[in-house]
Amino acid sequence: YAVPGRVRLPGAAADKHLLRVCFPDLLAAPVLAQAKRGFTLPIRRWMLGPLRDVCESAMLQVRRSGLLEAREAD
């Protein structure tokens, strides 16, 4: 469920507008003052570790579906 832009960033509102409005008492000022930044998910670690069985099962289903050529699904 996407939040419409007019709600998420009305006018020239700053980043984190909804957080600032909805949770002013829960978020520390330094958190709200930080610039927006990205993050990296540890997908390789997950796929080789705790989610390995799930990933292998999903890939087997993709191979069996015929949606991709075998070399593309490996």
Side-chain angles (χ1 to χ4, degrees), residues 58-74:
M59 289 306 299
L60 182 59
Q61 289 178 359
V62 169
R63 285 187 197 98
R64 289 179 178 162
S65 74
L67 295 173
L68 298 175
E69 292 185 25
R71 71 177 189 277
E72 302 298 331
D74 288 331

Side-chain angles (χ1 to χ4, degrees), residues 1-67:
Y1 300 105
V3 176
R6 70 183 187 286
V7 174
R8 190 176 59 247
L9 289 172
D15 287 342
K16 304 179 191 170
H17 169 73
L18 285 179
L19 286 175
R20 293 173 198 277
V21 171
C22 296
F23 305 105
D25 298 333
L26 298 176
L27 298 171
V31 171
L32 293 173
Q34 289 177 358
K36 193 172 180 179
R37 61 182 177 198
F39 60 92
T40 303
L41 296 175
I43 294 172
R44 178 179 173 80
R45 185 169 37 120
W46 290 344
M47 290 179 74
L48 295 175
L51 297 178
R52 184 180 186 116
D53 292 341
V54 173
C55 293
E56 287 180 353
S57 175
M59 289 306 299
L60 182 59
Q61 289 178 359
V62 169
R63 285 187 197 98
R64 289 179 178 162
S65 74
L67 295 173

